[in-house]
Amino acid sequence: MSKTLVIAEKPSVGRDIARVLGCKKNINGAIEGNRYIVTWGLGHLVELAAPEHYDPKYKEWKMEDLPMMPEHLDIEVIRQTAKQYNAVKAQLYRNDVADIVIATDAGREGELVARWILKKAKCQKPCKRLWISSVTDKAIRDGFANLKDAKEYDNLYYAAVSRAEADWLVGLNATRALTCKYNAQLSCGRVQTPTLAMIAKREEEIRAFSPEPYFGMTALAEGVTFTWKDKKSGSYRTFSEERIDELLAKCKGEPMTVVQVEKKAKKSYSPLLYDLTELQRDANKRFGYSAKETLNIMQRLYENHKVLTYPRTDSRYLTSDVVGTLKDRVRACAVGIYKKMAGLLLTAKIEGKPSFVNNDKVSDHHAIIPTEESPDFTHMTNEEKRIYDLVVRRFFSVLYPPCLYEETILTAEISGEPFFAKGNVIIENGWRSVYEEQIDEDESDGTELKKQTLPSLKKGQVFRNMVIRRTDGKTKPPARFTEATLLSAMENPVKYMESKDKQMAKTLGETGGLGTVATRADIIEKLFSGFMIEKRGNEICITSKAKQLLELVPEDLKKPELTAAWEMRLSKIAKGQLKSSRFMHDIRDYTEEILDQIKTGEGTFRHDNLTNKICPQCGKRLLAVNGKNAKMLVCQDRECGYRETVSRVTNARCPVCHKKMEMIGKGDNATFVCGCGHKERLNKFQERRQKEGAGVSRRDVQNYMKKQKKEAQEPLNNAFADAFKNLKL
């Protein structure tokens, strides 16, 4: 009896599909049943070949060998996942496998994952396509009942290949050209360089900012603070000190009359469900987790604990096929602190409201929500519990009714000048009862009224002997980026576009901005590991190296418009309105143009972070760099690649000020140091912590030392690690 081979993108999805299809027998890299065999990738198993595949001369980086422009770009098996590729290939060539179902993610990159495996394996068997946006049992069953012909998705595949090849040609050529010309490790790309340019632009805005004093006026009566409002501008502040002083003199000693009491019944609705970017933003704001950390935690909750749905999603809505499972998901969450919250939902009918169920707003995957699996908190880390908590509360909040409140706005007058006060009275907490802590409110900057608790006041009421005073403030510069706000800017980079092209702006909005939900965390990590950005507290600052790079890199590569222009054309390829060959012809011309700009550039690059310490391997002076969580010394010679950790931020808290301490030195000389001046040798720290009944175990120290050693061996820029390893100039 012939069988159908199903190719999923990841093992976890493969196991779900296998269970629904009744496959139970585990074989090498697959699960077999009577009618189906389900196998999987580990994301991509095949990638575009490295430059040296085309010519051994490309092992060394030389300007005269550029551009690298093979007539056809080949694909090769990724070395680290070759075992799984061979397992998939073995299934493809089984005599009893008659046809194939592509069940990778429903999107451009998902299409590429499967098609490249089939192409590399030279498999010509007939193909169908499973196109589903969630992996619930019902969605899988419905999807298999409505399989499409794989040929319907050929254009999507051509668009995916074009994107990958364009990034290879432009990114690798430009990176090699910059590196060779300026003899420094400089990399650039369509996503990372505009991201860097956004951070640099914010830095310029902060530097150019000049604080401007502003003034306002308040009147305190019956415990209520009334705020003056400018009749002309409608603002609660003025930039004229002379004017506010005149108004203050005019109002002092005069009575205040309440001229209007306006009460409105209002509703506030829960925020939308989480997509990955929103979850990364929240986790960064609340717990200080990096985007990469949050993604890794989410991946464990999805793959190992199986308590949350697929994390790499850009949608904040659910599809209608998930609605039938909502009650089971709530029931699964009804443990521990969530029991009471879930209980209130389970007593009523759970409906899929249009506010969070919308098939049109789900592309590849629906929003992140809990699964039908109950959590076992005893096997979860503290970090996993925190992220799970965020998702569960957000999930519950959309199922709860809206918060009902009464908004009261009081309008009063003193000598003809209007004063206002605003307050809310909660009638029904609704979704807010899910959150024990207070919901974040934006801080007032003097442009809006602050909410306060108001007593019952009536129209016509008159107050005398109020306390009237002038309020002063200064305008604030734009805030530096944190990982949370940088993710937002990458998701919506329209305001950083120089051109005001509406179609480009629309395309950037529709395609998710710079990078994807799955790649943004890696882009930020890459900028940290390449020492382009560094952290000061929670703020991200640009380094001197990055500032110089932005002076040297071609203008086009710094703009979000490049991504917009590419995406507009890739979208046309996916719709069959543009030949991929036309797009790639233009990309090759563009690559030549970029290289000419770099080769004829007149800029210079100098290391301004040289130390007097000498590299023990090659004798050159070492560079002092700030990694994401550590200070390091790195050899300036890229071919040498030596690096050592000078100090690292640890989780150990200072006994004086309770801030995280740095560890300096190694082995017996390791010492904890705090910014407040406290110093403590590692052995003394351990003794103290043991007396306190806690502490850093030997295992913790060993793990730290291993991590330090591993970091010292890692290349400076993981994305280009193999390329730099063999670099000879």
Side-chain angles (χ1 to χ4, degrees):
M1 180 183 161
S2 62
K3 295 188 177 184
T4 297
L5 180 68
V6 180
I7 304 174
E9 188 155 330
K10 288 201 158 188
S12 54
V13 178
R15 283 192 288 270
D16 285 338
I17 292 172
R19 180 173 47 74
V20 173
L21 296 178
C23 304
K24 293 175 183 175
K25 184 183 173 187
N26 287 308
I27 55 176
N28 180 30
I31 304 172
E32 189 169 355
N34 294 331
R35 189 178 160 198
Y36 294 97
I37 304 160
V38 181
T39 187
W40 48 78
L42 302 166
H44 280 285
L45 298 179
V46 177
E47 64 184 354
L48 289 170
E52 52 268 29
H53 162 84
Y54 303 99
D55 195 322
K57 71 180 180 183
Y58 291 139
K59 280 187 178 178
E60 294 183 21
W61 291 30
K62 293 178 183 172
M63 189 68 100
E64 57 266 30
D65 291 337
L66 299 178
M68 300 178 292
M69 205 81 78
E71 192 176 335
H72 298 289
L73 288 180
D74 298 333
I75 52 176
E76 62 187 9
V77 177
I78 299 170
R79 195 163 38 87
Q80 296 91 321
T81 54
K83 185 182 174 190
Q84 183 58 22
Y85 167 78
N86 289 325
V88 177
K89 186 178 177 182
Q91 300 305 318
L92 285 168
Y93 276 95
R94 276 175 52 162
N95 291 330
D96 59 344
V97 169
D99 56 353
I100 292 147
V101 171
I102 295 172
T104 45
D105 290 353
R108 195 168 69 193
E109 284 306 302
E111 198 65 27
L112 196 59
V113 168
R115 297 288 191 116
W116 269 357
I117 292 170
L118 295 172
K119 184 180 177 185
K120 187 65 185 168
K122 296 183 177 151
C123 179
Q124 301 289 328
K125 291 179 181 179
C127 281
K128 297 275 188 191
R129 184 58 157 106
L130 175 75
W131 194 267
I132 54 175
S133 55
S134 63
V135 285
T136 62
D137 291 8
K138 184 178 184 300
I140 293 167
R141 277 194 291 270
D142 290 351
F144 270 90
N146 296 284
L147 291 172
K148 314 276 188 197
D149 189 327
K151 287 188 173 64
E152 288 180 35
Y153 298 90
D154 283 354
N155 289 327
L156 187 68
Y157 165 61
Y158 301 146
V161 172
S162 300
R163 196 277 311 148
E165 292 187 352
D167 276 334
W168 192 98
L169 289 166
V170 174
L172 290 189
N173 277 296
T175 292
R176 286 200 176 200
L178 284 165
T179 299
C180 294
K181 184 171 174 80
Y182 300 106
N183 192 25
Q185 185 196 326
L186 301 173
S187 75
C188 65
R190 174 178 63 91
V191 175
Q192 67 173 24
T193 314
T195 302
L196 206 53
M198 290 194 300
I199 301 168
K201 189 175 180 183
R202 177 64 58 88
E203 204 77 39
E204 281 168 29
E205 287 170 0
I206 294 168
R207 211 169 31 248
F209 183 82
S210 178
E212 196 177 350
Y214 62 81
F215 312 93
M217 190 166 44
T218 60
L220 181 64
E222 294 282 320
V224 179
T225 302
F226 288 84
T227 305
W228 167 79
K229 188 176 188 179
D230 192 330
K231 285 179 185 174
K232 288 180 184 174
S233 67
S235 172
Y236 292 100
R237 64 188 189 183
T238 177
F239 291 96
S240 167
E241 187 173 11
E242 193 181 324
R243 179 155 181 248
I244 205 73
D245 285 342
E246 280 175 14
L247 290 170
L248 199 61
K250 175 183 166 186
C251 294
K252 265 197 171 165
E254 296 299 316
M256 178 169 72
T257 307
V258 177
V259 295
Q260 191 176 7
V261 177
E262 195 180 354
K263 292 189 176 186
K264 285 182 184 173
K266 290 206 163 187
K267 289 180 182 180
S268 85
Y269 293 89
S270 158
L272 287 171
L273 293 164
Y274 282 122
D275 64 2
L276 179 60
T277 304
E278 181 68 9
L279 185 62
Q280 286 168 324
R281 274 197 289 259
D282 256 14
N284 181 256
K285 276 192 274 189
R286 288 167 187 265
F287 315 122
Y289 297 162
S290 71
K292 188 70 175 172
E293 277 178 295
T294 303
L295 177 55
N296 290 340
I297 295 164
M298 268 298 305
Q299 206 66 36
R300 295 199 297 272
L301 289 165
Y302 166 65
E303 286 188 359
N304 304 345
H305 299 286
K306 303 185 190 305
V307 290
L308 295 184
T309 57
Y310 186 72
R312 295 164 193 258
T313 175
D314 60 358
S315 176
R316 301 185 66 186
Y317 290 84
L318 300 178
T319 46
S320 51
D321 63 330
V322 179
V323 174
T325 69
L326 293 178
K327 199 152 196 165
D328 289 338
R329 292 172 195 269
V330 172
R331 202 173 280 120
C333 299
V335 292
I337 57 171
Y338 310 113
K339 205 166 189 174
K340 190 178 174 186
M341 292 178 235
L344 290 168
L345 287 170
L346 292 169
T347 55
K349 189 181 177 188
I350 296 176
E351 294 177 340
K353 301 168 200 162
S355 56
F356 65 91
V357 178
N358 189 329
N359 291 356
D360 295 336
K361 292 193 176 179
V362 179
S363 51
D364 297 0
H365 298 279
H366 62 65
I368 299 165
I369 57 172
T371 63
E372 294 99 327
E373 292 266 337
S374 281
D376 181 356
F377 295 124
T378 57
H379 292 110
M380 277 192 203
T381 64
N382 197 38
E383 291 78 15
E384 287 165 354
K385 286 177 195 169
R386 281 174 161 180
I387 297 297
Y388 180 75
D389 182 72
L390 285 180
V391 176
V392 170
R393 288 182 192 272
R394 184 61 67 91
F395 173 60
F396 281 177
S397 72
V398 300
L399 300 175
Y400 265 68
C403 168
L404 305 179
Y405 64 96
E406 186 178 70
E407 182 183 75
T408 303
I409 298 174
L410 302 176
T411 310
E413 275 186 8
I414 307 174
S415 297
E417 289 298 320
F419 284 74
F420 291 85
K422 184 164 81 170
N424 292 342
V425 176
I426 301 287
I427 296 163
E428 275 183 39
N429 255 328
W431 66 270
R432 284 179 173 249
S433 59
V434 169
Y435 291 92
E436 287 153 5
E437 75 275 16
Q438 200 173 346
I439 310 295
D440 292 341
E441 299 284 358
D442 292 332
E443 282 184 34
S444 174
D445 58 358
T447 58
E448 288 186 8
L449 272 183
K450 283 187 179 177
K451 289 171 188 163
Q452 54 189 314
T453 304
L454 300 177
S456 182
L457 298 180
K458 292 175 183 171
K459 185 178 176 181
Q461 210 164 330
V462 178
F463 299 101
R464 300 179 196 280
N465 305 320
M466 296 90 57
V467 179
I468 296 180
R469 65 182 185 89
R470 189 179 98 171
T471 55
D472 296 16
K474 281 187 178 179
T475 53
K476 292 176 184 174
R480 281 195 170 85
F481 282 116
T482 61
E483 284 207 41
T485 55
L486 183 57
L487 284 165
S488 299
M490 290 174 78
E491 188 178 40
N492 189 18
V494 172
K495 67 186 264 190
Y496 297 92
M497 286 172 60
E498 286 178 20
S499 71
K500 299 301 171 196
D501 188 310
K502 285 184 180 173
Q503 188 55 46
M504 276 191 170
K506 185 170 180 276
T507 302
L508 267 179
E510 287 171 353
T511 54
L514 294 171
T516 65
V517 284
T519 61
R520 283 185 203 119
D522 286 327
I523 294 292
I524 294 172
E525 289 298 313
K526 187 175 172 184
L527 292 174
F528 275 119
S529 65
F531 309 116
M532 299 293 181
I533 55 177
E534 60 189 25
K535 265 193 176 180
R536 291 179 200 157
N538 201 31
E539 293 180 334
I540 292 172
C541 299
I542 196 162
T543 62
S544 163
K545 178 182 179 181
K547 284 176 194 166
Q548 292 184 77
L549 171 69
L550 290 170
E551 292 294 320
L552 305 172
V553 84
E555 277 300 310
D556 253 16
L557 281 175
K558 293 190 270 188
K559 297 175 184 174
E561 282 92 330
L562 181 63
T563 288
W566 284 21
E567 286 294 348
M568 283 163 74
R569 301 191 75 193
L570 291 169
S571 175
K572 285 185 176 177
I573 295 170
K575 289 172 185 169
Q577 297 166 358
L578 177 70
K579 292 271 185 214
S580 57
S581 55
R582 175 73 259 167
F583 173 72
M584 290 313 300
H585 179 270
D586 293 345
I587 287 292
R588 286 168 182 269
D589 288 348
Y590 179 69
T591 304
E592 300 261 17
E593 195 183 304
I594 288 283
L595 285 181
D596 285 343
Q597 287 179 40
I598 294 171
K599 286 176 180 177
T600 56
E602 294 178 358
T604 55
F605 183 90
R606 67 181 184 83
H607 292 296
D608 59 359
N609 54 343
L610 278 171
T611 67
N612 289 324
K613 295 199 172 181
I614 302 301
C615 174
Q617 286 177 200
C618 71
K620 291 180 183 169
R621 283 164 71 191
L622 294 170
L623 306 172
V625 295
N626 290 324
K628 191 174 183 184
N629 296 306
K631 289 174 183 168
M632 285 173 270
L633 291 174
V634 175
C635 185
Q636 61 177 293
D637 188 328
R638 299 182 318 281
E639 193 176 342
C640 169
Y642 174 80
R643 58 161 30 178
E644 67 175 86
T645 303
V646 176
S647 69
R648 160 174 284 284
V649 177
T650 70
N651 285 324
R653 298 280 175 175
C654 171
V656 180
C657 69
H658 305 295
K659 289 185 178 170
K660 287 183 178 180
M661 297 191 289
E662 283 187 39
M663 186 185 270
I664 296 173
K666 297 174 185 175
D668 295 336
N669 295 320
T671 304
F672 284 109
V673 175
C674 180
C676 74
H678 173 77
K679 285 186 181 179
E680 196 171 11
R681 290 293 282 267
L682 176 62
N683 57 353
K684 294 291 180 191
F685 172 83
Q686 287 172 304
E687 283 172 26
R688 175 172 65 79
R689 294 298 281 149
Q690 276 168 357
K691 281 175 190 170
E692 292 168 2
V696 174
S697 64
R698 273 182 194 280
R699 194 170 166 191
D700 291 334
V701 177
Q702 283 169 353
N703 286 342
Y704 166 74
M705 295 301 180
K706 274 184 199 167
K707 197 170 185 182
Q708 212 177 37
K709 193 174 177 185
K710 186 184 173 193
E711 279 183 355
Q713 291 167 350
E714 279 177 354
L716 298 188
N717 191 340
N718 294 330
F720 293 95
D722 293 335
F724 279 114
K725 189 171 62 186
N726 303 312
L727 175 57
K728 288 186 178 65
L729 293 169

